[in-house]
Amino acid sequence: MSGPILVINPNANPAVTAGLDAAMAPFRLSGGPEIACVTVPDGPFGIESQADSDAAVAPMLAMIRARPDAAAIIIACYSDPGIDAAREVAKVPVFGMQESGFLTAMSRGDRIGVVAISEGSILRHRKYLRRMGVLERMVAERPLNMSVAETASGDGTFARLRVVSETLVHQDHADVIVLGCAGLSAHRASLEKAIGRPVVDPTQAAVAMALGALLVQSKR
């Protein structure tokens, strides 16, 4: 099995990439592929709007073109900016974290709640789920109303995340929670323990799918 799984953070915030890298620890298997988490230095510092998402695509595609060694690619931004273009450009499987995370959540529960970073992100996420044909499985998406930078390194992130997630569980009756921002990866295990419901980190879900695809390929 040659080449790394390339986990691309399309924003330019290295703290988000560091959190992603820590979340990859369970997937770094003896004899398995390298999992390399990289930052797109020319991307927006945080992807918090449609304009930010659109601005992230060109530099992300440039990074994909510059890494022909990759065995698989993960777009580590919820809303999967540029996923169709990335699949056109790349010669290897491309996994988006929103698509992978939501599909994984569907296998863990019937009523899915999503935590967004801000109110402004929700419409973008809903449009993508509608395109996927799975919007009816989401009971609610509620915002933290924090910036990407705050979610990655803010002191109050977990407390706010727990409050919003408990609202999704107790008020919206979600039975599985999806973390709708790459900067929240570090809190998955603690949140799952705190709220007593499955919590899906979409980047971990995407990497799990990539590992499965590469293992199947290696057995052909």
Side-chain angles (χ1 to χ4, degrees):
M1 194 180 298
S2 62
I5 296 174
L6 193 66
V7 180
I8 300 178
N9 169 22
N11 73 50
N13 186 341
V16 173
T17 310
L20 291 170
D21 190 66
M24 294 302 104
F27 302 97
R28 292 188 165 114
L29 308 175
S30 177
E34 176 191 359
I35 301 174
C37 298
V38 295
T39 307
V40 177
D42 297 326
F45 192 70
I47 297 176
E48 300 171 9
S49 66
Q50 187 64 55
D52 292 333
S53 181
D54 292 347
V57 175
M60 182 188 71
L61 294 179
M63 175 168 283
I64 291 171
R65 290 188 177 99
R67 292 296 304 263
D69 60 314
I73 291 166
I74 312 296
I75 299 176
C77 172
Y78 204 77
S79 75
D80 299 345
I83 190 168
D84 294 324
R87 286 172 172 162
E88 183 176 88
V89 165
K91 307 302 182 185
V92 296
V94 176
F95 299 87
M97 67 175 272
Q98 181 174 357
E99 183 177 63
S100 301
F102 206 86
L103 292 175
T104 298
M106 288 170 59
S107 72
R108 301 294 307 277
D110 183 59
R111 298 171 61 84
I112 299 167
V114 179
V115 179
I117 57 168
S118 67
E119 189 73 40
S121 301
I122 293 175
L123 178 60
R124 186 169 75 256
H125 299 164
R126 287 178 59 87
K127 287 179 178 178
Y128 189 25
L129 294 179
R130 186 180 298 115
R131 169 186 155 182
M132 288 174 60
V134 297
L135 181 59
E136 72 280 359
R137 292 289 293 275
M138 184 174 73
V139 294
E141 180 167 0
R142 291 183 176 269
L144 297 175
N145 289 322
M146 303 174 74
S147 69
V148 173
E150 287 173 326
T151 65
S153 55
D155 294 335
T157 300
F158 182 76
R160 177 65 182 152
L161 180 59
R162 180 172 181 172
V163 168
V164 172
S165 298
E166 287 178 339
T167 301
L168 286 165
V169 169
H170 298 299
Q171 184 171 319
D172 302 312
H173 308 292
D175 48 32
V176 57
I177 300 297
V178 176
L179 301 178
C181 177
L184 299 173
S185 291
H187 303 293
R188 191 211 66 80
S190 298
L191 181 64
E192 186 169 273
K193 183 177 180 180
I195 67 173
R197 294 290 191 281
V199 176
V200 175
D201 169 36
T203 309
Q204 289 183 330
V207 170
M209 290 185 181
L211 279 171
L214 295 181
L215 287 170
V216 168
Q217 287 179 358
S218 72
K219 298 300 182 183
R220 290 176 181 173

